[in-house]
Amino acid sequence: QVQLQESGPGLVKPSQTLSLTCTVSGASISSGPYYWSWIRQPAGKGLEWIGRIYTSGSTNYNPSLKTRVTISVDTSKNQFSLNLSSVTAADTAVYYCAREDPHAFDIWGQGTMVTVSS
Amino acid sequence: QSVLTQPPSVSAAPGQKVTISCSGSSSNIENNYVSWYRQLPGTAPKLLIYENNKRPSGIPDRFSGSKSATSATLGITGLQTGDEADYYCGTWDSSLSARVFGGGTELTVL
């Protein structure tokens, strides 16, 4: 079955760039029609959608994060990635990658905790 | 604040039924599909309902979804203690061109 796994640093310094990768196993990331999304959740709070990428490479971003977010895909590695620049403590959260099928998030990664601190 | 509005908490006794509401607008719920997710403590959310009222394989028919105009509702019957979790609604917002979620509802099975 299709599985997603997030990876990346658990600690990022303020003003730096947060970089995470989601590895897809069990299916080709190029098979569609799916979007591949990033979602985050600060401790004790709700879900916040960060953005998504289609297999064609087209992207959509949360307007509140748009100026700082880049999502890319590497089909050769069956991965997609998140870069969030100029991070602050407010970006501390559990970050999830998820597949959007395309009307719902049907498969989620287990999540990875990222802390922004000096 | 979240674009979609959910009650912060609901509760009911084991075996009873509970409903969780999700209120939005014409730019999101009214004209787009709604999905529902359950999040057990310390775990990733899990899809319960998609396209307003469809259940993925493996989700029991105790879970149901409905939509009317700018609101959606998740229903859970035959409540079990294992149903205690946070529940989130989600949809696309055409004005924002973004996925949006409700703030989440904590279900307590008394």
Side-chain angles (χ1 to χ4, degrees), chain A residues 41 49 96 100 102-103 105 109, chain B residues 37 39 44-45 51 88 92 98-99:
Chain A
Q41 184 174 37
W49 180 76
Y96 296 100
E100 193 178 336
H103 298 302
F105 301 104
Chain B
Y37 306 86
Q39 186 177 34
E51 293 182 4
Y88 293 90
W92 179 258
R99 280 276 170 204

Side-chain angles (χ1 to χ4, degrees), chain A residues 20-54:
Chain A
L20 296 174
T21 295
C22 182
T23 300
V24 180
S25 60
S28 169
I29 199 170
S30 299
S31 64
Y34 300 118
Y35 290 95
W36 303 94
S37 282
W38 288 97
I39 297 157
R40 69 181 183 180
Q41 184 174 37
K45 296 188 177 181
L47 302 170
E48 180 181 32
W49 180 76
I50 299 170
R52 69 184 185 183
I53 189 165
Y54 194 59

Side-chain angles (χ1 to χ4, degrees), chain B residues 65-78:
Chain B
S66 63
K67 189 180 87 167
S68 178
T70 59
S71 292
T73 302
L74 173 70
I76 310 173
T77 60

Side-chain angles (χ1 to χ4, degrees), chain B residues 34-73:
Chain B
V34 176
S35 51
W36 289 90
Y37 306 86
R38 175 166 79 174
Q39 186 177 34
L40 298 170
T43 68
K46 178 180 180 179
L47 179 63
L48 290 178
I49 298 289
Y50 68 100
E51 293 182 4
N52 304 330
N53 55 18
K54 297 178 181 178
R55 285 176 287 105
S57 173
I59 300 300
D61 59 6
R62 300 190 299 112
F63 296 89
S64 64
S66 63
K67 189 180 87 167
S68 178
T70 59
S71 292
T73 302

